[in-house]
Amino acid sequence: MKNTWILAKRELSGYFATPVAYVFLFFYLALMGFMTFYVTGYYERGVADLQPFFALHPWLYLFLIPAISMRLWAEERKSGTIELLMTLPISLGQAVAGKFLAAWLFSGIALLLTFPMWMTVNFLGNPDNGVILAAYVGSFLLAGAYLALGSFLSAVTKNQVIAFVLTFVLGLLLVLSGTPLVLEFARQFLPDVIVDSLRSFSFLTHMNAIGSGVIEARNLAFFGSLIAACLAACVVTLDLKKAA
Amino acid sequence: MIEIHNLTKEFGPLRVVDSITFTVKKGEVLGFLGPNGAGKSTTMKMVTGFLSPTAGTARICGHDVEREPMAAKRKLGYLPEGAPAYTDMTPAGYLDFIADVRGLAGDAKAARLAAVVKQVHLEQVLHQPIETLSKGFKRRVGLAQAILHDPEVLILDEPTDGLDPNQKFEVRELIKSMARDKAIVLSTHILEEVEAVCTRAIIIAKGRVLFDGTPESLAAGGQIDRVFREITQGAAGAAMS
Ligand SMILES: Nc1ncnc2c1ncn2[C@@H]1O[C@H](COP(=O)(O)OP(=O)(O)O)[C@@H](O)[C@H]1O
Ligand SMILES: [Mg+2]
């Protein structure tokens, strides 16, 4: 536990040691703001809430999160520091958890920096801040699930472009499997049981459920077990590379 | 303190390390000599637990590296080839991180950090990002990292590679000064280095041990000629550099 935290701390300070983190944060906030106000038709709705903003997250994360996760393990391999990390008295599990945690906290910082949106809606009207808080939690969990997936894929390949594309494609599948379009299409030739389980595996389903203001155990369990499974796969992958 | 038994590594069809066996005792400095591609780094990667061997075992202070990796790694200091480091950090921040991972804290940590910084002469660059440092300083940061917890076993992969003659001399003196109560393995492709710091030399080529003895016996009796002949004939294409 202690090692995980020591590692996460180093990683996180590493993010801010280069301008890349600031460029990313700028890009992230600009994209979130621009898309919310100009693409979702925010003002035309005439409702003071953040629903259009959060509805964008599963889609924007498709690009933003792989940009963070692609370098997680690939970079260590490229610079040779992986050899250092793996020969320090840190277990593989601690190393994987530490690096993931730092990336997750970083995405959390980016998310928190969208607070002007929250201030704006409170200025414009009287939104339900409980719902907004739940949606923030949902978005954070969603980012964690994407990151865990991306962390695993960054351990699979040392090529960062491939890691990005793989994370994007798998993320896209996990989002699309919850869209009405895909579900209706699937319902035409697949039994309901399968369509429903397809739906229950989608990021969108769980994100929407939490975004409606109620954080249910099964939504938490979904994101929690997805993160755990991806991190376990990451550990196994790194362990297999030892014997390669 | 280091016991290596029939250590073997295959990458696909290629046998890079072929059944190497040796032990290193406290007080010994073992020079691992061989041409590029001989399998020196691969052997060290297995001894330090970065790679799993295809066959054979490596033990550090009695701990099997594969079975008890944490116990073995605690006893071990390792300078990987090329001295990789988190180069966006400063030596001060980097060594502080390593000290935390090594479980050093409080006064003991401060004392060790101060001692090591003095030992490898890092005072003047302590707060400068590692990526802006010269090769000599980068290597010293790597060395500082390896000896920070005063390990019983030290594995150094080409510790003087790319250094100028003065820096080489300093690093060799440092290694000699630590030799008494440690077991040290260093790899090199410079014969002279073995004579300067090592109490024992092992020559490998194509993953096999060709010679194991003192540097003196290597120099005497035409041993070097014999070994060179074997390298050039047996391992055609592997150029001594
Ligand atoms: N990960 C790897 N996959 C395939 N071959 C490798 C790998 N690592 C090293 N080799 C090969 O193993 C041989 C020995 O390499 P190495 O141990 O680095 O030699 P040395 O350190 O003595 O120069 C070389 O021919 C090298 O190309
Ligand atoms: Mg080498």
Side-chain angles (χ1 to χ4, degrees):
Chain A
M1 214 34 230
K2 190 154 161 270
N3 280 342
T4 304
W5 180 240
I6 293 169
L7 202 62
K9 223 170 49 180
R10 195 219 69 76
E11 282 275 313
L12 198 57
S13 66
Y15 285 173
F16 291 100
T18 66
V20 177
Y22 299 97
V23 172
F24 175 85
L25 287 176
F26 174 79
F27 190 68
Y28 177 103
L29 296 171
L31 196 63
M32 288 269 182
F34 174 81
M35 294 290 279
T36 304
F37 290 118
Y38 293 98
V39 178
T40 65
Y42 182 82
Y43 292 114
E44 286 76 48
R45 286 174 71 243
V47 185
D49 67 6
L50 283 181
Q51 201 270 326
F53 167 66
F54 288 112
L56 284 172
H57 287 199
W59 305 99
L60 292 185
Y61 280 170
L62 280 176
F63 302 92
L64 293 169
I65 296 292
I68 303 176
S69 66
M70 66 180 186
R71 44 172 296 284
L72 275 180
W73 290 99
E75 188 78 17
E76 296 266 356
R77 220 168 263 288
K78 196 174 125 213
S79 67
T81 47
I82 190 164
E83 201 166 336
L84 203 85
L85 191 59
M86 296 292 157
T87 54
L88 286 169
I90 299 176
S91 72
L92 260 179
Q94 291 168 342
V96 166
K99 287 178 76 74
F100 165 75
L101 197 62
W104 200 15
L105 287 175
F106 180 69
S107 78
I109 291 169
L111 187 60
L112 280 181
L113 287 176
T114 62
F115 71 91
M117 307 285 278
W118 171 73
M119 285 166 61
T120 307
V121 287
N122 273 278
F123 177 74
L124 291 174
N126 288 307
D128 185 337
N129 281 317
V131 171
I132 291 179
L133 182 66
Y136 265 113
V137 170
S139 175
F140 184 55
L141 288 170
L142 177 68
Y146 267 123
L147 275 172
L149 180 67
S151 160
F152 161 50
L153 295 170
S154 137
V156 168
T157 167
K158 112 171 115 181
N159 185 320
Q160 302 202 11
V161 177
I162 295 177
F164 185 101
V165 172
L166 283 177
T167 311
F168 175 83
V169 170
L170 277 177
L172 187 64
L173 290 177
L174 280 166
V175 173
L176 284 180
S177 66
T179 56
L181 193 70
V182 170
L183 289 172
E184 285 318 310
F185 179 69
R187 216 175 282 283
Q188 290 174 6
F189 50 91
L190 287 175
D192 280 0
V193 193
I194 295 186
V195 175
D196 286 343
S197 63
L198 198 66
R199 187 171 162 275
S200 73
F201 267 108
S202 172
F203 282 167
L204 221 48
T205 309
H206 294 273
M207 174 74 184
N208 288 344
I210 295 177
S212 67
V214 272
I215 302 179
E216 276 190 65
R218 64 193 167 97
N219 304 127
L220 292 180
F222 170 76
F223 286 119
S225 43
L226 192 70
I227 289 171
C230 287
L231 294 185
C234 187
V235 169
V236 170
T237 305
L238 290 169
D239 202 40
L240 284 176
K241 296 228 161 168
K242 261 181 73 171
Chain B
M1 279 198 193
I2 308 173
E3 301 156 78
I4 286 161
H5 189 71
N6 282 340
L7 208 58
T8 299
K9 184 71 185 178
E10 288 166 2
F11 290 116
L14 206 67
R15 184 168 286 201
V16 168
V17 175
D18 195 354
S19 227
I20 287 186
T21 300
F22 63 83
T23 62
V24 186
K25 293 195 275 293
K26 182 168 157 174
E28 273 191 309
V29 180
L30 174 67
F32 220 42
L33 195 65
N36 283 328
K40 303 183 293 294
S41 296
T42 305
T43 304
M44 291 179 149
K45 285 173 192 180
M46 290 190 282
V47 174
T48 54
F50 178 64
L51 288 178
S52 299
T54 308
T57 54
R59 286 153 101 58
I60 304 289
C61 301
H63 305 289
D64 188 308
V65 174
E66 288 295 303
R67 294 220 187 95
E68 307 169 72
M70 291 293 248
K73 286 170 187 180
R74 277 194 198 98
K75 299 280 185 189
L76 191 82
Y78 177 38
L79 175 70
E81 189 168 24
Y86 293 108
T87 53
D88 48 21
M89 303 177 94
T90 63
Y94 179 60
L95 294 177
D96 190 72
F97 160 67
I98 300 288
D100 287 343
V101 171
R102 292 290 186 185
L104 292 165
D107 290 346
K109 173 175 158 183
R112 269 315 286 168
L113 282 171
V116 165
V117 165
K118 194 156 164 261
Q119 238 176 332
V120 301
H121 306 294
L122 281 176
E123 296 92 344
Q124 65 189 98
V125 297
L126 216 43
H127 302 289
Q128 208 176 309
I130 295 172
E131 63 199 347
T132 66
L133 300 182
S134 69
K135 211 167 177 182
F137 273 120
K138 276 184 190 155
R139 194 58 49 104
R140 284 189 239 177
V141 171
L143 273 169
Q145 167 275 127
I147 63 175
L148 189 59
H149 56 303
D150 198 15
E152 292 176 49
V153 170
L154 206 49
I155 311 275
L156 309 172
D157 199 349
E158 308 209 4
T160 64
D161 184 47
L163 301 186
D164 68 34
N166 270 330
Q167 294 168 332
K168 278 194 164 88
F169 178 79
E170 275 189 23
V171 169
R172 286 173 193 164
E173 289 304 303
L174 175 68
I175 293 169
K176 275 198 266 185
S177 75
M178 295 185 300
R180 201 149 38 94
D181 45 22
K182 294 189 198 309
I184 302 178
V185 179
L186 64 90
S187 74
T188 178
H189 46 244
I190 312 170
L191 193 60
E192 156 214 352
E193 186 148 292
V194 174
E195 286 165 344
V197 283
C198 299
T199 60
R200 195 171 136 208
I202 284 183
I203 298 185
I204 67 166
K206 283 204 138 182
R208 287 166 185 265
V209 175
L210 297 185
F211 173 88
D212 184 350
T214 62
E216 293 77 29
S217 69
L218 179 62
Q223 288 275 22
I224 291 183
D225 290 344
R226 180 182 70 80
V227 166
F228 266 73
R229 228 178 8 256
E230 278 194 48
I231 288 172
T232 45
Q233 288 169 359
M240 192 86 177
S241 63

